[in-house]
Amino acid sequence: MARMRVSAAAAAALFVAVVVASPLLASSQQPAMAPAAAAAPTNNSRLEKAYVALQALKRAITDDPKNLTHSWCGPEVCGYFGVYCAAAPDDPCARTVAGVDLNHGDLAGTLPEELGLLTDLAVFHLNSNRFCGSLPDSLRNLHRLHEIDVSNNHLSGSFPSQLLCLPDLKYVDLRFNNLCGEVPAAIFEKKIDALFINNNNFDFKLTESFSNSTASVIVLANLPKLGGCLPSSIGDMAETLNELVLLNSGISSCIPPEIGKLDKLTVLDLSFNDFAGALPETIGHMRALEQLNVAHNGLAGEIPDSICALPHLKNFTYSHNFFCGEPHRCLEVPHVDDRQNCIAGRPDQRSGEECIAFLHRPPVHCDAHGCIAPLSPPPPPPPVHYAPPPPVY
């Protein structure tokens, strides 16, 4: 999944090349240098607003151990470290701030409302810092924002719904923070390419709207309050979805056979949940699949031979379930883990008592939405009719 990330310089360069057709920006590995073009006129309102925004951010930073903002002095914001300028999309003669990249800066502080003045910002990267508080509501003004990465910070509050207002947003990375509450279903309606919200405290359930997403990568891992069911409409994501990671997300569900329609999927991780029932044979139709992990669930039955015959499968992990059989072909997958199942003749399996006890559980039934259907209560006993006593004379 790391291949989805790009540096601010690369993303800003893409913004420049595709949106405004200007020269590439400087590499993110070096401090941003003043542009080769003539210095921006003092009446450039975009850079004046950027100066106000960046100075407000500098004041809100309470600890800068790497001295990244040492160069943030004076109005020439295009010379600030981590700030990238380009020609404005609606005025090629005016320069504007197109990217801010302060990744891995170990910066502490908060994010001020003045950041909303960076209305031409395409890339906003602040991962691996110590920013706290919530994302400012003024981010809804960043209508050209393409990427936001504020992962691995100490941010709190609810899901930043202001991101839903941004028409060009394609990459959203909020992972490893302390965000909580509902995740709006509308985030799955946006035409984004990557969504990372794992390792937060969100409390919501997967619904049918999940399958409306056009993202190529979705990571909802380590969200123990997620819950819900994997919808049977998941096959509707076949045109775009490449990686789906739902590990340790409290999902109690069957794996719908429609998942086999995801023929572009390369990574599927459903481990550490409460999936039950059989492993659908239709997974054998997912010809691009390379990594499949369904470990630590309540799956049972036989491993379908068609899954182990997938041409690109490199890693197949189905340990800590209750499978009772596997084709020999599965043992030829480069990396396979079948421990702690009920497979006769294989090492490190569950005890016979565990397997027999599992077999005596009521069978799992799934409804049309992929959810585990509750067991029907036993029928009431038939009414007892008592004969009246004989008459007494």
Side-chain angles (χ1 to χ4, degrees), residues 34-42 44 47 76 78 85 92-96:
T42 56
N44 183 334
L47 295 183
E76 299 296 333
C78 296
C85 292
C93 297
R95 294 189 69 75
T96 190

Side-chain angles (χ1 to χ4, degrees), residues 12 125-126 265 313:
H125 289 173
L126 294 179
L265 200 70
L313 190 62

Side-chain angles (χ1 to χ4, degrees), residues 185-205:
I187 192 63
F188 300 114
E189 306 281 350
K190 280 191 69 66
K191 304 298 182 183
I192 60 176
D193 186 55
L195 177 65
F196 299 88
I197 61 173
N198 51 288
N199 295 84
N200 278 286
N201 298 313
F202 292 125
D203 186 356
F204 72 109
K205 295 187 182 301

Side-chain angles (χ1 to χ4, degrees), residues 46-61:
R46 301 171 195 265
L47 295 183
E48 290 172 357
K49 290 179 180 178
Y51 172 75
V52 173
L54 295 171
Q55 288 300 311
L57 177 57
K58 183 178 180 179
R59 289 192 300 272
I61 292 173

Side-chain angles (χ1 to χ4, degrees), residues 58-206:
K58 183 178 180 179
R59 289 192 300 272
I61 292 173
T62 57
D63 188 22
D64 183 1
K66 298 181 180 180
N67 214 18
L68 299 186
T69 60
H70 175 71
S71 64
W72 287 29
C73 297
E76 299 296 333
V77 296
C78 296
Y80 289 6
F81 177 83
V83 176
Y84 301 88
C85 292
D90 56 346
D91 184 357
C93 297
R95 294 189 69 75
T96 190
V97 172
V100 172
D101 185 348
L102 296 173
N103 285 348
H104 304 281
D106 197 26
L107 299 166
T110 57
L111 300 176
E113 287 291 335
E114 288 87 347
L115 289 173
L117 296 172
L118 299 171
T119 52
D120 292 321
L121 198 67
V123 177
F124 191 42
H125 289 173
L126 294 179
N127 81 52
S128 303
N129 286 289
R130 291 176 286 138
F131 286 107
C132 60
S134 58
L135 288 174
D137 187 65
S138 62
L139 292 185
R140 68 179 63 249
N141 299 327
L142 309 185
H143 294 295
R144 302 190 191 280
L145 194 64
H146 185 271
E147 292 191 6
I148 182 168
D149 181 357
V150 291
S151 61
N152 196 22
N153 278 281
H154 304 305
L155 298 173
S156 58
S158 59
F159 184 92
S161 58
Q162 56 269 46
L163 301 183
L164 302 176
C165 306
L166 306 180
D168 294 336
L169 192 62
K170 297 297 181 186
Y171 184 98
V172 178
D173 194 344
L174 307 176
R175 54 188 158 171
F176 294 100
N177 278 290
N178 300 312
L179 300 170
C180 60
E182 284 278 334
V183 173
I187 192 63
F188 300 114
E189 306 281 350
K190 280 191 69 66
K191 304 298 182 183
I192 60 176
D193 186 55
L195 177 65
F196 299 88
I197 61 173
N198 51 288
N199 295 84
N200 278 286
N201 298 313
F202 292 125
D203 186 356
F204 72 109
K205 295 187 182 301
L206 286 183

